[in-house]
């Protein structure tokens, strides 16, 4: 049952913490030879009238998900760190027609981190399975977007060079396979396709690899600067019976974060993409014949084409730190270029102008907008918005965000640019520590009022999330 699952997850965390308390080493200079810990996330999610492309799913989903992770670190020398983290996530569905029998307890035990890190004065090297959240996460954030927030790791090598007083340059290479073979057990009724945009049968078979440089310049007190270049290779992939071409492209950009005074700051990020989409021959996709023609179902050929796309984000942030409730205000706009055809359908070899989020398929806020796209393949969006925040008590921030969303291009047969009005409220709160375990929680609610871009008679989509986190 759900109650038993929660008790199992929290009880496990408390039991492990109690055992650790009796075995903690005597205090010593520097980091300990061995350290360990973990966390548990219990999340309730409800979503209704969800967007799917430019249509709407009118059924509702309601479920609980439980993710537990335990990590250990070994430091055989001051310069060397070895880290492993194991994870498990299972779900309990109350209503989800497509998923009621999936991801049941105990599900898979997976390797979430497994790396060695060597650090010297002026440089460091990290090799293995690791997380790499960089900058705004719009370019670099999730190497395994196909399984949602269950994992976000990259299989990568990372060289970090220090320069100046406070600045660094990361040089990295990564290759992320569609299937994770480092697991124990099997997920019920289905698989985890770690990179997919459209589900295959059962895998999309799309691998994602690349390399890049990310520089953070922090020498000026009132202006932080990030510069980046990322090359990415996406292999061809399956989406059901269909097959889609791969891509080979580069993304270059910068991010500026000026501080104008004690209460006003800003952010400006801009990036440009260029490269090529692979060609693909026409193919028979099998299945029943076309009911209108009686002929076998076929997929049209794709001509190889150039890529030319862009992304920009700008924001002004005001924060009154010395005023009661610490009020803040953000005025921002996000732009991602679009294409008049869909991401998959161009057949005449014209330039692809739709933005590709590279390794940044994380949700930028709530979950509703992500389902306008294939598993977070963010593109074709202009979103001006405002956010108000207050902290009525220490550790209790509340934010309210609202703004319209537009399609830059009327793609996939849409009749209008206006996607709709997106509103999101989030409240985060701490909870009392118990037996050395730290607790905190989150409550959020999202509403999306549909515009004429969507082919639907529904007025809005809604989402509610309740979350309890334990860290030990």
């Amino acid at each position: 049952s759900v109650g038993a699952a929660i008790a199992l997850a929290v009880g496990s965390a408390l039991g492990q913490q109690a055992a650790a308390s009796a075995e903690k080493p005597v205090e010593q200079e520097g980091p300990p030879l061995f350290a360990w810990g973990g966390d548990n996330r219990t999340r309730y999610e409800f979503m209704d009238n969800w967007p799917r492309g430019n249509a709407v799913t009118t059924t509702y989903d309601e479920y609980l998900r439980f993710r537990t992770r335990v990590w250990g670190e070994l430091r055989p020398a001051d310069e060397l760190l070895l880290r492993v983290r194991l994870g498990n996530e299972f779900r309990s569905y109350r209503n989800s027609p497509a998923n009621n029998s999936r991801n049941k307890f105990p599900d898979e035990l997976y390797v979430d981190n497994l790396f060695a890190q060597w650090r010297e004065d002026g440089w460091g090297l990290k090799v293995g399975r690791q997380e790499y959240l960089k900058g705004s996460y719009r370019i670099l954030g999730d190497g395994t977007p196909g399984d949602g927030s269950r994992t976000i790791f990259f299989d990568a090598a990372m060289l970090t060079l220090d320069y100046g007083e406070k600045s660094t340059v990361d040089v990295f290479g990564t290759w992320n396979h569609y299937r994770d073979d480092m697991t124990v057990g099997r997920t019920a009724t289905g698989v985890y396709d770690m990179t997919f945009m459209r589900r295959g049968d059962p895998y999309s078979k799309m691998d994602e690899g690349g390399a890049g440089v990310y520089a953070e310049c922090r020498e000026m007190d009132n202006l932080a600067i990030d510069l980046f270049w990322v090359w990415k290779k996406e292999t061809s992939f399956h989406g059901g019976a269909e097959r889609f071409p791969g891509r080979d492209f580069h993304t270059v950009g910068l991010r500026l974060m000026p501080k104008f005074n004690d209460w006003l700051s800003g952010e400006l990020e801009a990036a440009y993409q260029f490269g090529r989409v692979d060609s693909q021959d026409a193919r028979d996709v099998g299945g029943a014949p076309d009911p209108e023609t009686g002929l076998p179902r076929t997929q049209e050929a794709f001509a190889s084409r150039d890529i030319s796309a862009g992304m920009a984000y700008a924001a002004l942030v005001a924060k009154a730190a010395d005023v009661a409730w610490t009020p803040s205000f953000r005025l921002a706009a996000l732009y991602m270029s679009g294409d008049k055809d869909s991401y998959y359908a161009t057949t005449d070899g014209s330039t692809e102008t739709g933005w590709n989020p590279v390794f940044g398929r994380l949700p930028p806020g709530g979950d509703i907008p992500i389902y306008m796209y294939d598993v977070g393949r963010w593109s074709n969006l202009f979103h001006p918005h405002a956010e108000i925040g207050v902290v009525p008590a220490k550790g209790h921030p509340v934010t309210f965000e609202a703004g319209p969303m537009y399609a830059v291009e009327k793609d996939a047969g849409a009749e209008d640019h206006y996607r709709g009005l997106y509103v999101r409220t989030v409240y985060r709160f701490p909870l009392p520590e118990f037996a050395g375990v730290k607790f905190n929680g989150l409550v959020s609610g999202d509403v999306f009022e549909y515009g004429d871009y969507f082919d639907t008679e529904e007025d809005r989509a809604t989402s509610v999330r309740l979350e309890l986190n334990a860290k030990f």
Side-chain angles (χ1 to χ4, degrees):
S1 69
V2 171
I6 296 175
L8 174 65
V10 175
S12 174
L14 296 178
Q16 293 173 13
Q17 175 63 26
S21 298
E23 300 175 5
K24 285 185 177 178
V26 178
E27 291 188 8
Q28 60 185 36
E29 292 184 6
L33 173 65
F34 177 75
W36 75 277
D39 60 80
N40 183 80
R41 182 184 71 183
T42 302
R43 179 186 287 179
Y44 166 82
E45 295 185 8
F46 171 88
M47 40 193 178
D48 193 20
N49 297 331
W50 225 236
R52 293 289 183 184
N54 66 340
V56 173
T57 300
T58 56
T59 56
Y60 75 91
D61 282 14
E62 183 182 9
Y63 57 91
L64 284 160
R65 56 195 294 184
F66 308 86
R67 187 188 69 183
T68 302
R69 303 180 300 189
V70 178
W71 59 267
E73 290 182 350
L74 180 65
R75 193 178 292 272
D78 290 344
E79 300 85 1
L80 180 61
L81 173 68
L82 307 175
R83 178 182 171 93
V84 60
R85 183 168 69 189
L86 304 179
N88 172 270
E89 182 180 90
F90 62 95
R91 300 189 181 193
S92 176
Y93 289 94
R94 299 189 62 181
N95 186 76
S96 182
N99 296 301
N100 281 335
S101 60
R102 296 172 65 90
N103 312 125
K104 291 184 176 181
F105 180 83
D107 207 67
E108 293 180 343
L109 179 69
Y110 59 88
V111 178
D112 196 37
N113 279 180
L114 182 63
F115 64 80
Q117 182 175 14
W118 185 273
R119 185 68 187 174
E120 295 274 6
D121 290 340
W123 67 277
L125 180 65
K126 184 190 289 188
V127 179
R129 181 163 291 185
Q130 58 191 278
E131 293 180 359
Y132 189 56
L133 291 152
K134 209 65 177 177
S136 63
Y137 313 157
R138 299 182 194 103
I139 306 296
L140 295 165
D142 191 350
T144 54
D147 68 345
S149 61
R150 173 178 172 266
T151 68
I152 61 172
F153 62 74
F154 292 80
D155 289 330
M158 185 85 54
L159 174 65
T160 299
L161 304 173
D162 300 335
Y163 71 94
E165 295 292 327
K166 298 176 287 186
S167 303
T168 60
V169 175
D170 292 338
V171 182
F172 64 90
T174 182
W175 186 262
N176 304 310
H177 191 41
Y178 66 86
R179 189 176 71 186
D180 182 11
D181 294 318
M182 298 172 64
T183 62
V184 177
R186 283 293 171 210
T187 184
T189 318
V191 300
Y192 288 108
D193 192 335
M194 306 300 284
T195 60
F196 84 98
M197 288 185 287
R198 288 193 170 186
R199 289 195 182 277
D201 186 22
Y203 293 100
S204 66
K205 299 185 179 180
M206 182 178 77
D207 289 331
E208 296 187 321
V213 178
Y214 199 102
E216 296 182 325
C217 179
R218 300 294 183 266
E219 302 305 305
M220 294 177 282
D221 292 337
N222 294 322
L223 179 61
I225 302 173
D226 291 357
L227 299 169
F228 53 86
W229 160 75
V230 181
W231 164 71
K232 187 182 182 188
K233 171 67 176 177
E234 297 174 357
T235 66
S236 60
F237 65 95
H238 295 270
E242 296 180 300
R243 187 173 180 86
F244 300 101
R247 327 185 139 224
D248 189 315
F249 65 99
H250 302 262
T251 302
V252 294
L254 81 164
R255 181 173 178 237
L256 306 176
M257 292 153 285
K259 183 178 180 181
F260 302 110
N261 52 45
D262 291 340
W263 60 272
L264 183 64
S265 61
E267 180 181 352
L268 175 65
E269 184 170 26
Y272 174 69
Q273 289 176 344
F274 59 95
R276 295 286 290 177
V277 180
D278 296 341
S279 62
Q280 180 174 289
D281 294 334
R283 61 192 303 268
D284 186 348
V285 298
D290 188 303
E292 295 183 1
T293 65
L295 298 175
R297 294 180 182 271
T298 60
Q299 185 180 1
E300 294 186 35
F302 287 86
S304 179
R305 51 187 170 135
D306 291 330
I307 295 171
S308 178
M311 180 274 292
Y313 175 83
L316 278 176
V317 182
K319 184 175 182 179
D322 297 329
V323 177
W325 287 29
T326 318
S328 62
F329 178 74
R330 177 188 295 265
L331 185 64
L334 174 64
Y335 168 85
M336 297 176 177
S337 63
D339 193 275
K340 65 181 184 299
D341 297 306
S342 76
Y343 179 60
Y344 312 102
T346 298
T347 58
D348 62 1
S350 61
T351 299
E352 163 64 52
T353 56
W355 174 254
N356 185 308
V358 199
F359 296 108
R361 288 200 268 158
L362 294 164
D367 290 331
I368 289 178
I370 199 173
Y371 288 96
M372 299 177 194
Y373 306 95
D374 288 337
V375 193
R377 201 263 172 189
W378 294 94
S379 189
N380 195 23
L381 178 66
F382 176 58
H383 179 38
H385 54 282
E387 178 185 284
I388 298 173
V390 293
V391 186
K394 185 178 180 180
H396 292 260
V398 181
T399 58
F400 176 83
E401 175 189 331
M405 290 185 167
Y406 300 91
V408 178
E409 300 283 352
K410 291 189 290 185
D411 61 342
E415 296 183 358
D416 194 82
H417 290 278
Y418 181 50
R419 293 179 181 267
L421 177 65
Y422 180 55
V423 178
R424 174 173 169 82
T425 302
V426 182
Y427 167 48
R428 303 177 188 273
F429 54 91
L431 293 167
E433 184 175 326
F434 179 73
V437 181
K438 298 179 180 180
F439 294 92
N440 64 73
L442 174 151
V443 179
S444 69
D446 298 24
V447 176
F448 187 75
E449 294 281 349
Y450 284 112
D452 290 338
Y453 173 87
F454 290 91
D455 181 17
T456 181
E457 295 181 358
E458 298 294 334
D459 293 330
R460 64 187 62 86
T462 56
S463 169
V464 175
R465 176 186 294 182
L466 308 176
E467 186 171 301
L468 173 65
N469 296 293
K471 186 177 181 180
F472 53 93

